Amino acid sequence: MSSLAAKQAEILRQDGNTCFKKDRFAAAIEAYTEAITLCPNVPVYWTNRALCHLKRNDWKRVEEDCRRAVELDHHSVKGHYMLGLALLQRKVYAEGVKKLEKALDLGRGANPNGYMVEEIWQELATARYLTWEHEATERSWNLQNLREACVAALKQKQFLDTSDTEGFVDENGKSNLDQLEGLACVFDKAAENDTPTELPDYLCCKITLDIFRDPVITPCGITYERAVILEHLLKVGKFDPITREPLYAYQLVPNLAIKEAVRAYLEKHGWAYKTE
């Protein structure tokens, strides 16, 4: 790649950025495409063009450009992030979640308090819920089919009459109705983890009311989301927002117990919790 080509490509990138800011996405795509033609191994040209495609809801091209971007730069936060979004649009949930998780890890490493970390987290939470919902629907369908098959087999075995409440009593003294009720309890229990639940209060920040990502505990024993309490200390004052006791950033300690509790809860429930 010659220095002249590199300079021309950078000028084209800047032109593309200008067009993008004016919502002239077609013109921006054209500029980024020319930059790519001159310097195809610069990942930012690919992610910039992918963002334009995203604005136009052209998810196929978003995926194509982002795959190329992450090939060129395995640490591209935007590349992994937009690739994850594109995969979710195709309902490729498992791979989409992995790409968003990668983007979140890279984003936290580069700038833990950056705006993209929060944005990626929200998209990841949504993606995981969609994954759970998709899998839960499939499991529920299979469970219902199995339930119906078991009920039919039990009826056939015990020769239930048309009332569905009378019939034989087995060697353990259980009637057909008892067996059917027991079967229903088994299947109801199996379906419990596929029912969305409200998040427990102790897993949520008292300021944002959202689930903890990076919980820290104060000397007063109250746990907050790190970024939120740091912003409070910076913009509002050096005091605990609940107890009003003096509080400084150096006094905040990671609450590893709550962090592990959050991880365990989300793992158990498959992110099957209700969100706004």
Side-chain angles (χ1 to χ4, degrees):
M1 178 177 66
S2 68
S3 59
L4 178 59
K7 289 180 180 179
Q8 290 176 332
E10 272 300 295
I11 292 173
L12 287 165
R13 181 183 68 82
Q14 293 171 12
D15 290 344
N17 291 350
T18 300
C19 292
F20 181 86
K21 291 175 182 178
K22 296 179 180 180
D23 294 338
R24 296 174 56 207
F25 302 125
I29 289 172
E30 184 177 345
Y32 294 137
T33 300
E34 290 184 35
I36 289 170
T37 301
L38 290 171
C39 301
N41 294 325
V42 180
V44 69
Y45 300 161
W46 294 91
T47 52
N48 280 4
R49 191 171 72 174
L51 184 57
C52 294
H53 291 316
L54 185 151
K55 292 293 186 179
R56 303 176 80 184
N57 292 315
D58 191 344
W59 294 102
K60 181 180 178 181
R61 287 188 168 84
V62 172
E63 181 178 345
E64 291 171 351
D65 281 1
C66 287
R67 285 197 183 279
R68 181 56 181 156
V70 298
E71 284 177 5
L72 294 169
D73 179 10
H74 299 306
H75 296 89
S76 172
V77 177
K78 291 182 179 179
H80 284 96
Y81 175 48
M82 289 189 287
L83 178 54
L85 296 181
L87 290 167
L88 293 175
Q89 288 292 319
R90 288 206 292 116
K91 299 185 179 180
V92 184
Y93 295 113
E95 187 181 356
V97 166
K98 287 182 180 179
K99 295 302 180 183
L100 291 179
E101 288 174 340
K102 182 68 173 179
L104 185 61
D105 288 341
L106 292 170
R108 282 173 169 166
N111 185 6
N113 297 321
Y115 77 94
M116 277 202 71
V117 171
E118 178 67 21
E119 185 177 326
I120 295 169
W121 172 270
Q122 294 294 341
E123 291 291 350
L124 181 56
T126 300
R128 282 173 165 161
Y129 184 85
L130 288 173
T131 302
W132 169 84
E133 187 176 50
H134 174 74
E135 294 175 350
T137 299
E138 192 171 289
R139 283 193 299 269
S140 296
W141 178 258
N142 292 334
L143 197 63
Q144 181 61 29
N145 288 338
L146 180 59
R147 183 175 191 162
E148 292 174 358
C150 289
V151 169
L154 183 60
K155 287 181 178 181
Q156 184 177 10
K157 180 174 181 290
Q158 299 292 349
F159 302 100
L160 286 176
D161 64 11
T162 54
S163 70
D164 286 344
T165 60
E166 297 179 1
F168 290 93
V169 174
D170 67 14
E171 61 273 16
N172 296 317
K174 290 186 177 181
S175 69
N176 296 311
L177 183 57
D178 290 335
Q179 291 178 329
L180 285 172
E181 289 178 348
L183 189 65
C185 288
V186 169
F187 280 99
D188 288 343
K189 185 68 176 177
E192 281 184 3
N193 281 345
D194 286 332
T195 303
T197 60
E198 296 286 354
L199 277 167
D201 289 342
Y202 71 90
L203 296 183
C204 301
C205 177
K206 296 184 183 299
I207 298 177
T208 66
L209 303 181
D210 195 7
I211 190 169
F212 283 117
R213 286 89 155 161
D214 185 12
V216 291
I217 190 167
T218 70
C220 295
I222 299 175
T223 299
Y224 299 101
E225 180 64 27
R226 181 189 295 275
V228 174
I229 190 64
L230 287 176
E231 183 177 17
H232 167 84
L233 296 176
L234 179 65
K235 297 182 178 180
V236 181
K238 302 295 190 294
F239 59 89
D240 188 305
I242 293 180
T243 67
R244 314 297 289 185
E245 293 291 326
L247 178 65
Y248 299 91
Y250 71 83
Q251 295 176 293
L252 300 174
V253 177
N255 192 329
L256 301 180
I258 289 295
K259 191 170 186 176
E260 175 58 23
V262 168
R263 186 203 63 76
Y265 181 88
L266 296 180
E267 184 175 288
K268 177 181 177 182
H269 293 272
W271 286 70
Y273 62 89
K274 298 176 182 177
T275 54
E276 294 299 328

